[in-house]
């Protein structure tokens, strides 16, 4: 099912951030030289499970930064809804809108569509996680087909620790 093999470079992309600026992954990676990157795909500003997870990532942000890991979040939700979410919860990591499904397709994130066997808040991308090294090479990936079973930020921290201790 995976479109990426560990160690392969992940695709570059450009999306609009809630700040209104274009965010290009390659530019952000180069501007944060020496850091790993955790790309977190979440369902949307309307998803209570996502809000709890993003709040925990915000609370844990300094822990990730101490480990030299930068967080970036992406959703198929519209930019205006994401802006309201960021304002309400005061998220300080990049939040990007993938409303045209570009990154969803590039990264093979599961899309809950109208043809799926159960209704789940309309159409949207499901949670997915991609950890890259400082060069943009994939170290870890996980894709969900529902809102449940995703790794908790503490679990992601354990995964990062394990990979960094065993990194070649």
């Amino acid at each position: 099912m995976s479109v990426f093999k560990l160690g392969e470079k992940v695709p570059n992309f450009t999306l609009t951030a809630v700040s209104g600026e274009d965010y290009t992954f390659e530019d952000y990676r180069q501007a944060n030289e020496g850091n790993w990157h955790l790309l977190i795909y979440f369902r949307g500003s309307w998803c209570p499970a996502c809000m709890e997870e993003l709040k925990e990532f915000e609370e844990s942000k300094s822990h990730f930064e101490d480990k030299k890991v930068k967080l970036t979040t992406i959703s198929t939700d519209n930019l205006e809804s994401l802006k309201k979410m960021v304002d309400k919860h005061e998220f300080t990591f990049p939040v990007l809108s993938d409303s045209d499904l570009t990154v969803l397709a590039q990264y093979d994130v599961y899309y809950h569509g109208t043809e799926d066997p159960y209704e789940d808040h309309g159409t949207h991308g499901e949670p997915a996680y991609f950890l890259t090294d400082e060069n943009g090479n994939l170290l870890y990936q996980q894709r969900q087909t529902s809102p449940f079973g995703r790794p908790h930020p503490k679990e992601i921290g354990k995964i990062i620790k394990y990979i960094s201790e065993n990194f070649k």
Side-chain angles (χ1 to χ4, degrees), residues 43 46 112-124 126 147:
R43 301 172 89 213
W46 47 266
H112 186 93
T114 56
E115 71 287 347
D116 284 339
Y118 56 91
E119 172 50 34
D120 185 20
H121 298 89
T123 59
H124 56 271
E126 291 289 1

Side-chain angles (χ1 to χ4, degrees), residues 13 23 25 28-29 32 35-41 53-74 91-96 129-132 153 156-157 160:
F13 61 85
Y23 170 109
F25 178 62
Y28 187 74
R29 187 186 64 71
N32 291 281
N35 287 280
W36 288 6
H37 295 271
L38 179 61
L39 303 174
I40 303 165
Y41 213 102
E53 178 189 45
L54 293 178
K55 287 179 200 175
E56 290 175 18
F57 272 113
E58 182 66 40
E59 291 167 6
S60 305
K61 185 178 169 197
S62 63
H63 171 77
F64 286 99
E65 289 181 346
D66 288 347
K67 304 288 185 213
K68 299 189 71 85
V69 176
K70 294 289 190 180
L71 306 175
T72 297
T73 63
I74 307 167
F91 295 137
T92 59
F93 42 74
V95 177
L96 315 176
Y129 306 82
F130 304 92
L131 177 67
T132 73
I156 295 284
I160 291 168

Side-chain angles (χ1 to χ4, degrees), residues 73-87:
T73 63
I74 307 167
S75 174
T76 57
D77 207 348
N78 68 68
L79 199 55
E80 190 57 39
S81 295
L82 293 173
K83 284 179 185 178
K84 289 177 184 175
M85 175 197 77
V86 168
D87 290 344

